[in-house]
Amino acid sequence: MSREKKLILSTIILGFGTVLPKIATFLILPILTSYLTKIEYGTYDLVITSLSFILPIITLQIEQATFRFLIDIDTIKEKAKIVTTSSVYVIIVSLIMYLIGSIALNGFSFWSKQLILIFAVNNLLYKFILQINRGLKQLRIYSTMTLINSLLNVLMIILFVWKLRLGFMGLLISLNISIVLAIVFGLLYGGIHKYLLISSFNKYSLKEMLVYSIPLLPNSISWWIVGLSDRWIITTFLGLEYNALYAISNKIPNLFNLVYNNFNLAWQESASVSIKDDDINEYYSSVFEALYNFLVGAILLLITVSPVIFNVFIDSSYERAYYQMPILFLGVFFHSLGSFFGGIYVAFKKSSKVGKSAFLGAFINVVVNIIFVKKIGLYAASLSTLVSYFVIIVYRIWDVRKFVTIKYNRLTIAISILLIITVSAINYINITKLNIMNFTIALIIALIINKKMIRNILKSLKAKRNS
């Protein structure tokens, strides 16, 4: 199987476990925005985003090292050494995190605090087991785990938040039940127990993995600063209700990340496996061109259908969140492009480069936020996110030239970005007739720039049907 076909197949398999469940999760937004107060929803968002900062620091990104080291290994003995060593480490840090959290976490009732801490531990274990299955090239297990977690979460929220009206507590119960069952599935069906042998623990392997993973920390912390610092600054200067508005304004733009993220998982593996090929520059360039055209088409379509999605799935009391989205759409577009180059860093094991570029963007994010938050309110958070992601992509494009040559069509890039800005501006006006025109234009453009990809897909389907 060619690299391109394998990349597409991996993306499709991962897509079932990432895109579809997240879309299902999006369907419960009406429940969360209707049956949680803005303060409860703002608190929930703050807990989730805070964990995205705490967990990488606690684990020192050992789960990322586990994935990266496993994909290069073929023997059961070596796999057992990596899985066992990293598992012992993760269990120890999970216990430490729970104990520290029990002392440090204040402001919640006893049961709320316990449920948050249990969810934090479960979240850590869940992400670790996902990366083990991914490293063992068990993508179907990986996808099924995320599918189980997401779909069960929807069902549990319907039960505990909507039917039983348990509010924030019901949401925490739902999160824990769904993630535990996903963990159990990943352990049992992934066959991970075959690689768990106490005799396989190796402190030198642990050191080697940490040498790789620790330089990734600045990257995680920086993405946290870009994502969570917005929340903390908004909460500090404007209050939890404004944080709820900002959290909702990110929901639809973040659907675009779902389109890219499952590709990114497959891309990291493909970029790493292909690193020794003679035509690596041509391969990376062709993937970037196809990906760029697809992302432009996807973001244009998502922008133009967002008024309908917002009106259907989000409570009218969050109407002010709508006007943050045009800026955030462009931000997530730059974020996805930056992640593509992040995959190249991973392939070349230049983890420190990932952190350096992300830290630069994070610094700019905080500065812009603090300067403008009192002057323009929520727009400061949206604008700072856009600027920081733009800086990151510019830096990475410049930096990767040192070890790989990627060809770009600069005219196409300039025209497409101008199109995205124009469509976003029309989206901001939010007049029905203009929205219909906007969607029609976006659909035509998406089909034109992706006609080669569409033609190839149709040919493949026709050949498969004939065979």
Side-chain angles (χ1 to χ4, degrees), residues 44 62 64 80 153 166 176 216 276 294 340 351 428 441 443:
Y44 158 68
I62 194 73
Q64 297 297 327
N153 194 26
L166 295 181
N176 276 297
L216 291 171
K276 295 180 182 179
F294 175 74
F340 171 83
S351 49
Y428 184 86
I441 294 172
L443 180 60

Side-chain angles (χ1 to χ4, degrees), residues 95 136 167 196 224 231 311 369 450 466:
L95 293 173
L136 294 172
L196 291 173
W224 170 83
R231 267 74 165 181
N311 289 331
N369 247 324
N450 288 287
N466 293 335

Side-chain angles (χ1 to χ4, degrees), residues 130-141:
L130 277 176
Q131 295 306 321
I132 291 178
N133 281 304
R134 186 177 163 216
L136 294 172
K137 300 178 182 177
Q138 299 179 148
L139 297 186
R140 287 180 175 81
I141 300 295

Side-chain angles (χ1 to χ4, degrees), residues 22 37 60 117 132 246 253 263 281 290 304 323 364 402 444-445 447:
K22 293 296 183 181
T37 66
L60 298 179
L117 290 172
I132 291 178
Y246 186 67
F263 165 83
N281 292 331
T304 56
Y323 298 100
I364 292 172
K402 298 174 184 177
I444 293 170
I445 293 171
L447 291 173

Side-chain angles (χ1 to χ4, degrees), residues 3-4 7 265-275 283-284:
R3 295 169 303 188
E4 290 81 2
L7 176 59
L265 295 172
W267 167 238
Q268 287 180 1
E269 180 179 340
S270 181
S272 301
V273 172
S274 306
I275 194 172
Y283 176 56
Y284 283 8

Side-chain angles (χ1 to χ4, degrees), residues 84-142:
T84 300
T85 302
S86 56
S87 295
V88 170
Y89 175 84
V90 164
I91 291 170
I92 292 172
V93 298
S94 297
L95 293 173
I96 293 173
M97 180 180 68
Y98 181 85
L99 293 173
I100 293 175
S102 298
I103 299 171
L105 195 60
N106 295 314
F108 294 95
S109 66
F110 174 80
W111 286 112
S112 291
K113 181 166 75 170
Q114 293 303 313
L115 287 171
I116 290 172
L117 290 172
I118 292 170
F119 177 67
V121 172
N122 285 333
N123 206 353
L124 191 159
L125 296 175
Y126 172 74
K127 291 180 177 179
F128 176 61
I129 294 166
L130 277 176
Q131 295 306 321
I132 291 178
N133 281 304
R134 186 177 163 216
L136 294 172
K137 300 178 182 177
Q138 299 179 148
L139 297 186
R140 287 180 175 81
I141 300 295
Y142 177 101

Side-chain angles (χ1 to χ4, degrees), residues 23 33-34 73 77 94 106 110 148 167 212 259 261 268 283 380 390 425 428 446 453 455:
I23 291 175
T33 54
S34 298
I73 295 172
K77 182 179 179 181
S94 297
N106 295 314
F110 174 80
I148 290 171
Y212 170 82
V259 174
N261 284 347
Q268 287 180 1
Y283 176 56
F390 179 75
Y428 184 86
M453 181 187 296
R455 190 184 301 120

